[in-house]
Amino acid sequence: MEKYENLLRNSNIKVTPQRLAIVEELDGHVHMSIEELYEAIKKKFPSISLATVYKNINAMMDQGFMQEVKVPGQKSKYELTKAPHSHVVCENCGKVEDIALDLEKVTQDAANMTRYEVRGKALILSGICPACKTAS
Amino acid sequence: MEKYENLLRNSNIKVTPQRLAIVEELDGHVHMSIEELYEAIKKKFPSISLATVYKNINAMMDQGFMQEVKVPGQKSKYELTKAPHSHVVCENCGKVEDIALDLEKVTQDAANMTRYEVRGKALILSGICPACKTAS
DNA sequence: TTAAATGCAAAAAATTTGCAGACGT
DNA sequence: ACGTCTGCAAATTTTTTGCATTTAA
Protein backbone atom coordinates (compact mmCIF):
# COMPACT_ATOMS: atom_id res chain seq x y z
CA MET A 1 0.00 0.00 0.00
CA GLU A 2 2.82 2.31 -0.88
CA LYS A 3 0.39 4.63 -2.56
CA TYR A 4 -1.43 5.44 0.65
CA GLU A 5 1.77 6.01 2.59
CA ASN A 6 2.69 8.73 0.17
CA LEU A 7 -0.76 10.21 0.05
CA LEU A 8 -0.79 10.45 3.82
CA ARG A 9 2.72 11.81 4.05
CA ASN A 10 1.97 14.61 1.62
CA SER A 11 -0.61 15.99 3.97
CA ASN A 12 0.93 16.73 7.38
CA ILE A 13 -0.52 13.47 8.63
CA LYS A 14 1.94 10.97 10.03
CA VAL A 15 2.03 7.43 8.76
CA THR A 16 1.39 5.11 11.67
CA PRO A 17 0.66 1.40 11.56
CA GLN A 18 -2.80 2.13 12.90
CA ARG A 19 -3.54 4.51 10.08
CA LEU A 20 -2.24 2.14 7.48
CA ALA A 21 -4.41 -0.58 8.96
CA ILE A 22 -7.47 1.60 8.61
CA VAL A 23 -6.63 2.61 5.08
CA GLU A 24 -5.82 -0.93 4.00
CA GLU A 25 -8.99 -2.24 5.53
CA LEU A 26 -11.02 0.33 3.62
CA ASP A 27 -9.08 -0.31 0.46
CA GLY A 28 -10.30 -3.89 0.67
CA HIS A 29 -13.85 -3.46 1.90
CA VAL A 30 -14.57 0.00 0.60
CA HIS A 31 -17.47 0.82 2.91
CA MET A 32 -17.40 0.15 6.63
CA SER A 33 -18.90 1.60 9.77
CA ILE A 34 -16.70 2.70 12.66
CA GLU A 35 -17.50 -0.40 14.65
CA GLU A 36 -16.90 -2.70 11.68
CA LEU A 37 -13.57 -1.06 11.06
CA TYR A 38 -12.58 -1.37 14.69
CA GLU A 39 -13.51 -5.03 14.90
CA ALA A 40 -11.75 -5.85 11.64
CA ILE A 41 -8.56 -4.06 12.57
CA LYS A 42 -8.42 -5.58 16.04
CA LYS A 43 -7.84 -8.95 14.45
CA LYS A 44 -4.57 -7.89 12.90
CA PHE A 45 -3.79 -5.22 15.44
CA PRO A 46 -5.22 -6.21 18.80
CA SER A 47 -3.87 -3.25 20.70
CA ILE A 48 -5.65 -0.58 18.69
CA SER A 49 -8.19 1.39 20.65
CA LEU A 50 -11.58 2.57 19.52
CA ALA A 51 -10.59 6.13 20.38
CA THR A 52 -7.73 5.89 17.92
CA VAL A 53 -10.10 4.78 15.20
CA TYR A 54 -12.36 7.73 15.91
CA LYS A 55 -9.48 10.17 16.04
CA ASN A 56 -8.05 8.91 12.80
CA ILE A 57 -11.32 8.84 10.95
CA ASN A 58 -11.87 12.43 11.99
CA ALA A 59 -8.35 13.48 11.11
CA MET A 60 -8.49 11.84 7.71
CA MET A 61 -11.90 13.34 7.01
CA ASP A 62 -10.53 16.76 7.90
CA GLN A 63 -7.75 16.18 5.40
CA GLY A 64 -10.21 15.02 2.79
CA PHE A 65 -8.78 11.49 2.69
CA MET A 66 -11.91 9.83 3.77
CA GLN A 67 -15.60 10.52 3.43
CA GLU A 68 -18.68 9.64 5.37
CA VAL A 69 -21.49 7.90 3.51
CA LYS A 70 -24.79 8.49 5.27
CA VAL A 71 -26.77 5.42 4.42
CA PRO A 72 -30.53 5.44 4.97
CA GLY A 73 -31.56 2.92 7.60
CA GLN A 74 -28.07 2.07 8.79
CA LYS A 75 -25.03 3.49 10.49
CA SER A 76 -22.80 5.76 8.49
CA LYS A 77 -20.06 4.08 6.56
CA TYR A 78 -16.71 5.45 5.50
CA GLU A 79 -14.79 5.27 2.26
CA LEU A 80 -11.49 6.57 0.93
CA THR A 81 -11.99 9.67 -1.17
CA LYS A 82 -12.13 8.87 -4.87
CA ALA A 83 -13.65 10.59 -7.87
CA PRO A 84 -17.20 11.71 -7.08
CA HIS A 85 -19.71 8.93 -7.46
CA SER A 86 -23.07 7.69 -6.25
CA HIS A 87 -24.03 4.71 -4.11
CA VAL A 88 -26.43 1.82 -4.20
CA VAL A 89 -27.34 0.06 -0.98
CA CYS A 90 -29.09 -3.27 -0.61
CA GLU A 91 -32.01 -3.04 1.79
CA ASN A 92 -31.66 -6.71 2.53
CA CYS A 93 -27.99 -7.40 3.12
CA GLY A 94 -26.85 -3.83 3.78
CA LYS A 95 -24.04 -3.91 1.26
CA VAL A 96 -23.03 -0.56 -0.24
CA GLU A 97 -21.62 -0.24 -3.75
CA ASP A 98 -20.24 2.62 -5.76
CA ILE A 99 -21.82 3.55 -9.04
CA ALA A 100 -20.85 6.13 -11.62
CA LEU A 101 -23.94 8.03 -12.66
CA ASP A 102 -24.21 11.16 -14.72
CA LEU A 103 -25.89 13.77 -12.53
CA GLU A 104 -25.21 16.71 -14.81
CA LYS A 105 -28.73 17.25 -15.97
CA VAL A 106 -30.25 16.83 -12.55
CA THR A 107 -27.72 19.24 -11.09
CA GLN A 108 -28.46 21.81 -13.77
CA ASP A 109 -32.15 21.51 -13.16
CA ALA A 110 -31.65 21.99 -9.45
CA ALA A 111 -29.42 25.02 -9.94
CA ASN A 112 -31.98 26.60 -12.23
CA MET A 113 -34.85 25.94 -9.90
CA THR A 114 -33.22 27.01 -6.68
CA ARG A 115 -30.57 29.54 -7.73
CA TYR A 116 -28.18 27.69 -5.47
CA GLU A 117 -24.55 27.49 -6.34
CA VAL A 118 -24.45 23.70 -6.25
CA ARG A 119 -21.18 22.21 -5.05
CA GLY A 120 -21.86 18.70 -3.89
CA LYS A 121 -24.18 15.88 -4.86
CA ALA A 122 -24.96 12.86 -2.73
CA LEU A 123 -27.18 10.24 -4.32
CA ILE A 124 -27.93 6.97 -2.63
CA LEU A 125 -30.24 4.52 -4.32
CA SER A 126 -31.60 1.62 -2.33
CA GLY A 127 -33.18 -1.62 -3.30
CA ILE A 128 -32.47 -5.32 -3.53
CA CYS A 129 -29.20 -6.53 -4.91
CA PRO A 130 -29.06 -9.35 -7.49
CA ALA A 131 -27.69 -11.81 -4.94
CA CYS A 132 -30.50 -11.18 -2.46
CA LYS A 133 -33.09 -11.26 -5.23
CA THR A 134 -31.90 -14.69 -6.32
CA ALA A 135 -31.73 -15.98 -2.77
CA SER A 136 -35.31 -15.07 -1.92
CA MET B 1 -54.26 20.90 11.88
CA GLU B 2 -57.30 18.75 11.56
CA LYS B 3 -55.69 16.89 8.73
CA TYR B 4 -52.93 15.50 10.89
CA GLU B 5 -55.32 14.45 13.63
CA ASN B 6 -57.11 12.25 11.18
CA LEU B 7 -53.96 10.95 9.60
CA LEU B 8 -52.66 9.94 12.99
CA ARG B 9 -55.93 8.47 14.13
CA ASN B 10 -56.16 6.22 11.08
CA SER B 11 -53.00 4.51 12.06
CA ASN B 12 -53.31 3.04 15.57
CA ILE B 13 -51.40 6.00 16.89
CA LYS B 14 -53.15 8.09 19.53
CA VAL B 15 -53.52 11.81 19.10
CA THR B 16 -51.81 13.51 22.03
CA PRO B 17 -51.01 17.19 22.41
CA GLN B 18 -47.31 16.33 22.30
CA ARG B 19 -47.69 14.58 18.99
CA LEU B 20 -49.70 17.39 17.53
CA ALA B 21 -47.05 19.83 18.68
CA ILE B 22 -44.36 17.86 16.87
CA VAL B 23 -46.40 17.56 13.72
CA GLU B 24 -47.39 21.23 13.72
CA GLU B 25 -43.84 22.30 14.29
CA LEU B 26 -42.69 20.25 11.34
CA ASP B 27 -45.57 21.45 9.23
CA GLY B 28 -44.21 24.95 9.72
CA HIS B 29 -40.48 24.38 9.57
CA VAL B 30 -40.39 21.28 7.44
CA HIS B 31 -36.88 20.12 8.40
CA MET B 32 -35.67 20.00 11.97
CA SER B 33 -33.25 17.99 14.05
CA ILE B 34 -34.37 16.26 17.23
CA GLU B 35 -32.82 18.94 19.40
CA GLU B 36 -34.32 21.76 17.34
CA LEU B 37 -37.72 20.16 17.60
CA TYR B 38 -37.38 19.69 21.31
CA GLU B 39 -36.31 23.29 21.93
CA ALA B 40 -39.05 24.68 19.71
CA ILE B 41 -41.79 22.62 21.28
CA LYS B 42 -40.69 23.40 24.82
CA LYS B 43 -41.66 27.02 24.24
CA LYS B 44 -45.30 26.17 23.72
CA PHE B 45 -45.23 23.02 25.76
CA PRO B 46 -42.70 23.35 28.55
CA SER B 47 -43.44 20.02 30.19
CA ILE B 48 -42.55 17.88 27.19
CA SER B 49 -39.56 15.63 27.70
CA LEU B 50 -36.81 14.82 25.25
CA ALA B 51 -37.58 11.13 25.66
CA THR B 52 -41.10 11.76 24.44
CA VAL B 53 -39.78 13.49 21.36
CA TYR B 54 -37.53 10.53 20.63
CA LYS B 55 -40.28 8.01 21.24
CA ASN B 56 -42.68 9.85 19.02
CA ILE B 57 -40.24 10.41 16.22
CA ASN B 58 -39.51 6.70 16.26
CA ALA B 59 -43.17 5.75 16.46
CA MET B 60 -44.13 8.04 13.61
CA MET B 61 -41.22 6.85 11.50
CA ASP B 62 -42.34 3.27 12.09
CA GLN B 63 -45.79 4.26 10.87
CA GLY B 64 -44.32 6.02 7.86
CA PHE B 65 -45.55 9.45 8.97
CA MET B 66 -42.17 10.95 9.22
CA GLN B 67 -38.85 10.47 7.53
CA GLU B 68 -35.26 11.03 8.43
CA VAL B 69 -33.18 13.20 6.13
CA LYS B 70 -29.49 12.37 6.50
CA VAL B 71 -27.79 15.63 5.68
CA PRO B 72 -24.05 15.64 4.92
CA GLY B 73 -22.13 17.58 7.52
CA GLN B 74 -24.96 18.05 9.97
CA LYS B 75 -27.31 16.19 12.25
CA SER B 76 -30.17 14.32 10.70
CA LYS B 77 -33.34 16.27 10.20
CA TYR B 78 -36.90 15.03 10.08
CA GLU B 79 -39.81 15.80 7.81
CA LEU B 80 -43.41 14.71 7.45
CA THR B 81 -43.76 12.12 4.72
CA LYS B 82 -44.83 13.67 1.43
CA ALA B 83 -44.48 12.67 -2.19
CA PRO B 84 -40.92 11.54 -2.93
CA HIS B 85 -38.58 14.44 -3.55
CA SER B 86 -34.96 15.52 -3.30
CA HIS B 87 -33.23 18.02 -1.04
CA VAL B 88 -30.90 20.97 -1.33
CA VAL B 89 -28.88 22.03 1.69
CA CYS B 90 -26.98 25.27 2.14
CA GLU B 91 -23.43 24.64 3.30
CA ASN B 92 -23.37 28.06 4.87
CA CYS B 93 -26.61 28.47 6.82
CA GLY B 94 -27.58 24.81 7.03
CA LYS B 95 -31.08 25.31 5.70
CA VAL B 96 -32.66 22.32 3.95
CA GLU B 97 -35.19 22.71 1.15
CA ASP B 98 -37.28 20.28 -0.83
CA ILE B 99 -36.92 20.12 -4.58
CA ALA B 100 -38.81 18.11 -7.16
CA LEU B 101 -36.32 16.59 -9.56
CA ASP B 102 -36.87 13.96 -12.18
CA LEU B 103 -34.66 11.02 -11.29
CA GLU B 104 -36.19 8.62 -13.77
CA LYS B 105 -33.25 8.46 -16.12
CA VAL B 106 -30.67 8.20 -13.41
CA THR B 107 -32.64 5.44 -11.73
CA GLN B 108 -32.96 3.53 -14.97
CA ASP B 109 -29.25 3.84 -15.60
CA ALA B 110 -28.50 2.56 -12.14
CA ALA B 111 -30.86 -0.39 -12.46
CA ASN B 112 -29.29 -1.35 -15.76
CA MET B 113 -25.78 -1.07 -14.46
CA THR B 114 -26.26 -2.87 -11.16
CA ARG B 115 -29.20 -5.21 -11.78
CA TYR B 116 -30.62 -3.99 -8.50
CA GLU B 117 -34.33 -3.75 -8.03
CA VAL B 118 -34.23 -0.07 -7.12
CA ARG B 119 -36.85 1.00 -4.59
CA GLY B 120 -35.68 4.23 -3.02
CA LYS B 121 -33.74 7.29 -4.11
CA ALA B 122 -32.18 9.81 -1.78
CA LEU B 123 -30.52 12.78 -3.46
CA ILE B 124 -29.14 15.67 -1.47
CA LEU B 125 -27.45 18.50 -3.29
CA SER B 126 -25.39 20.94 -1.31
CA GLY B 127 -24.09 24.40 -2.06
CA ILE B 128 -24.70 28.01 -1.26
CA CYS B 129 -28.21 29.38 -1.14
CA PRO B 130 -29.08 32.67 -2.87
CA ALA B 131 -29.42 34.50 0.45
CA CYS B 132 -25.97 33.45 1.65
CA LYS B 133 -24.47 34.20 -1.77
CA THR B 134 -25.82 37.74 -1.65
CA ALA B 135 -24.74 38.26 1.95
CA SER B 136 -21.12 37.31 1.31
C1' DT C 1 14.61 16.10 19.28
C1' DT C 2 10.13 17.33 18.99
C1' DA C 3 5.64 17.61 17.64
C1' DA C 4 2.16 14.49 16.90
C1' DA C 5 -0.11 9.86 17.75
C1' DT C 6 -1.49 6.07 20.78
C1' DG C 7 -4.22 3.92 24.37
C1' DC C 8 -6.41 4.16 28.43
C1' DA C 9 -9.88 5.84 31.39
C1' DA C 10 -13.02 9.35 32.21
C1' DA C 11 -16.30 12.70 30.39
C1' DA C 12 -19.75 14.21 27.41
C1' DA C 13 -23.35 13.58 24.11
C1' DA C 14 -26.98 10.95 22.03
C1' DT C 15 -30.46 7.58 22.38
C1' DT C 16 -33.17 4.02 24.70
C1' DT C 17 -35.57 1.84 28.46
C1' DG C 18 -38.51 0.89 32.71
C1' DC C 19 -42.05 2.25 35.24
C1' DA C 20 -45.82 4.81 37.85
C1' DG C 21 -49.21 7.89 36.92
C1' DA C 22 -52.03 10.39 33.35
C1' DC C 23 -54.69 10.38 29.31
C1' DG C 24 -57.09 9.15 24.80
C1' DT C 25 -60.63 6.51 22.90
C1' DA D 1 -62.10 0.60 31.67
C1' DC D 2 -58.18 -0.54 28.82
C1' DG D 3 -54.34 -0.02 26.68
C1' DT D 4 -51.33 3.53 25.26
C1' DC D 5 -48.58 7.66 26.22
C1' DT D 6 -45.99 10.82 29.16
C1' DG D 7 -42.23 12.30 31.97
C1' DC D 8 -38.77 11.24 34.86
C1' DA D 9 -34.61 8.94 36.06
C1' DA D 10 -31.53 5.46 35.06
C1' DA D 11 -29.22 2.69 31.68
C1' DT D 12 -27.03 2.18 27.13
C1' DT D 13 -24.67 3.51 23.33
C1' DT D 14 -21.84 6.57 20.73
C1' DT D 15 -18.33 9.93 20.44
C1' DT D 16 -14.95 13.06 22.42
C1' DT D 17 -11.38 14.48 25.56
C1' DG D 18 -7.23 14.66 28.77
C1' DC D 19 -3.08 12.95 29.75
C1' DA D 20 1.13 10.07 30.33
C1' DT D 21 3.81 7.43 27.25
C1' DT D 22 5.40 6.10 22.77
C1' DT D 23 6.64 6.92 18.10
C1' DA D 24 7.44 8.97 13.30
C1' DA D 25 10.30 12.02 10.96
Side-chain angles (χ1 to χ4, degrees), chain B residues 103-122:
Chain B
L103 301 182
E104 256 325 300
K105 171 143 194 333
V106 154
T107 306
Q108 276 306 328
D109 290 349
N112 292 337
M113 291 166 80
T114 62
R115 303 274 130 212
Y116 266 61
E117 180 185 323
V118 177
R119 293 182 176 174
K121 340 180 206 312

Side-chain angles (χ1 to χ4, degrees), chain A residues 44 87 100 125 130 136:
Chain A
K44 298 186 175 177
H87 293 102
L125 298 165
S136 70

